[in-house]
Amino acid sequence: MPDFKTIANFRKDNGPAICAECRRFIELCRQLKLFSQALVAVDGSKFKAVNNRDRNFTGAKMQPRMEHIEAGINRYMASLDLADQAEAATDQGKSARLKEKIAALKQRMQQLQEIDVVVQAARDKQISTKPRPS
């Protein structure tokens, strides 16, 4: 069985001949009346999925997400408690970073709670948010 590189090289080396053979095949199919009047188009476009895990919310998904964030907050709080007990000068920077992470997680929790209200009000108990601009 040829590997991908062999096939790629064959297509690269024989591109015009492959196109000509495809053209002849289509002409043969038309002569044999194998095509109907239906139109089919194929292209190689790729699009980023809009309905990915981070933008799709259902009632069943909300609780585990909130629990995951709550566990993260608890983990950071425990780290803060350890930093408070040590009270070393080097832990001040770590303490500040942990507080920032806790604040970010609390903000995300608030967002999820707001989204949960919208999910519960939705007809099919599901929403998909728009992607953020990059």
Side-chain angles (χ1 to χ4, degrees), residues 103-121:
L105 286 174
K106 285 184 177 181
Q107 180 182 4
R108 182 64 180 150
M109 180 67 87
Q110 178 65 32
Q111 290 170 342
L112 285 177
Q113 288 169 344
E114 291 169 3
I115 290 171
D116 191 37
V117 171
V118 176
V119 167
Q120 296 308 319

Side-chain angles (χ1 to χ4, degrees), residues 23-66:
R23 197 173 301 113
R24 279 190 228 133
F25 176 73
I26 290 170
E27 288 172 9
L28 173 68
C29 289
R30 283 188 180 137
Q31 289 171 359
L32 297 173
K33 299 191 188 310
L34 297 176
F35 290 142
S36 68
Q37 295 299 318
L39 177 66
V40 176
V42 178
D43 72 6
S45 299
K46 294 183 180 181
F47 301 93
K48 187 172 182 173
V50 174
N51 199 15
N52 74 16
R53 182 185 67 85
D54 295 329
R55 289 196 254 341
N56 179 260
F57 301 93
T58 64
K61 292 179 184 178
M62 295 303 292
Q63 193 61 35
R65 285 185 186 190
M66 289 182 187

Side-chain angles (χ1 to χ4, degrees), residues 52-100:
N52 74 16
R53 182 185 67 85
D54 295 329
R55 289 196 254 341
N56 179 260
F57 301 93
T58 64
K61 292 179 184 178
M62 295 303 292
Q63 193 61 35
R65 285 185 186 190
M66 289 182 187
E67 289 171 0
H68 178 75
I69 290 175
E70 194 66 40
I73 291 172
N74 291 337
R75 193 172 50 249
Y76 289 131
M77 292 298 285
S79 295
L80 273 176
D81 289 343
L82 289 175
D84 288 345
Q85 290 173 1
E87 289 190 291
T90 56
D91 286 339
Q92 293 301 321
K94 181 179 179 180
S95 177
R97 283 191 309 276
L98 290 174
K99 288 178 182 177
E100 288 173 8

Side-chain angles (χ1 to χ4, degrees), residues 7-19:
I7 295 169
N9 285 338
F10 179 82
R11 281 195 337 256
K12 181 181 69 163
D13 297 339
N14 299 293
I18 292 171
C19 287

